[in-house]
Each structure stands twice: as structure tokens, then as C-alpha cells.
Amino acid sequence: MTNTLTGSCLCGRITFRVTDEFETFHLCHCTQCQKATGSAHASNLFAQQTGFAWLTGEERLKRFDVPGRAISQAFCIDCGSGMPYLTLSGSGLMVIPAGTLDQAPSITVKRHIFYGERAAWYDDLAHIETYQDFPPS
Ligand SMILES: [Zn+2]
Ligand SMILES: [Zn+2]
């Protein structure tokens, strides 16, 4: 029996379910993903559309397809959280931003891609101070 995971946005209005059978899971460091996420990389799972369904709030989604760009973005219009979207490739694959999931997927991260475009500040992060929550003030 295949497991089903749930996902949600920060405000909780949009929820979805997805079968825990992902095609791949990668971290994309390309400059487009840096712009789109405002961070070092996108963390994307790819799932067949047939195993995906919106549970609540589908009408709260706003999708952006940027002309001339290969990537799209979908957001909750109430809280701005990045949300899953169907790729434009015709492959029937959904892009699932990993942080939207409410449970850990069984797949592990498979690769870094476009690492040559990574943010200059990304290197050596393993050596910086790390805290389990807020740092001491
Ligand atoms: Zn939201
Ligand atoms: Zn990218």
C-alpha cells in the first residue's frame, strides 16, 4: 500500500495530498530559482499529476509563468507561500516544493543541479554556528 502525504501553505488555507512516490528530488541552484525563491536554491520534488489532488483552497492559488523562462511559480494569495504546480513540459509532472509537505517523503535528495550557478555565499555553510532554535542574544 502506498503512503499518502499532505501538504499546506503557511496560513493553512491551501492543502493538498500527494502519493509518496516521487520521480526525483533535487536542489536547483540556478539563478532563476534563486530569484524565484529568494533563497540559495529551490528544493523540488517531482510527482505524477495522477497522484496529486488539492484538498482545500485551490481557488486561493496564483500561478506565474514567466515568458522566456522555463520555470513557473505558484503561490497562496493569502500568505505568499510557494505551492505545487504542473510543469509546462507536457510530462504530466507536478513540481512540489519540498517545504510545503507536512510529513517527510520517503525519497531523499538525489542531487544538486546547476551548482555552477550557486550563490557565492552558499559554500562552507557546514562550518558556521548552528542552533536548534533562536541564537542566544
Ligand atoms: Zn496560505
Ligand atoms: Zn533552477
Side-chain angles (χ1 to χ4, degrees):
M1 193 182 115
T2 51
N3 200 17
T4 298
L5 305 176
T6 59
S8 57
C9 64
L10 187 59
C11 78
R13 288 185 174 90
I14 300 176
T15 59
F16 64 88
R17 64 175 165 77
V18 61
T19 304
D20 188 19
E21 289 179 334
F22 296 97
E23 302 290 318
T24 192
F25 185 3
H26 63 220
L27 308 182
C28 184
H29 294 258
C30 82
T31 53
Q32 291 183 50
C33 285
Q34 290 179 44
K35 292 289 186 193
T37 62
S39 191
H41 56 73
S43 306
N44 287 332
L45 295 136
F46 292 80
Q48 294 291 341
Q49 185 184 15
T50 51
F52 179 93
W54 297 107
L55 296 175
T56 61
E58 185 177 0
E59 75 285 353
R60 312 307 294 166
L61 286 164
K62 169 66 179 172
R63 176 177 177 141
F64 296 91
D65 295 306
V66 184
R69 298 294 190 183
I71 60 172
S72 303
Q73 287 284 291
F75 291 94
C76 170
I77 61 173
D78 295 304
C79 70
S81 301
M83 296 306 293
Y85 60 89
L86 182 65
T87 61
L88 294 174
S89 67
S91 60
L93 288 176
M94 298 286 296
V95 176
I96 318 286
T100 62
L101 291 176
D102 297 327
Q103 304 86 29
S106 55
I107 191 174
T108 55
V109 178
K110 297 304 177 188
R111 62 188 72 84
H112 293 277
I113 64 171
F114 287 94
Y115 202 65
E117 297 183 15
R118 72 188 178 280
W121 48 267
Y122 188 78
D123 291 344
D124 298 322
L125 291 184
H127 306 293
I128 63 173
E129 293 178 357
T130 301
Y131 302 93
Q132 296 303 315
D133 48 40
F134 285 115
S137 53

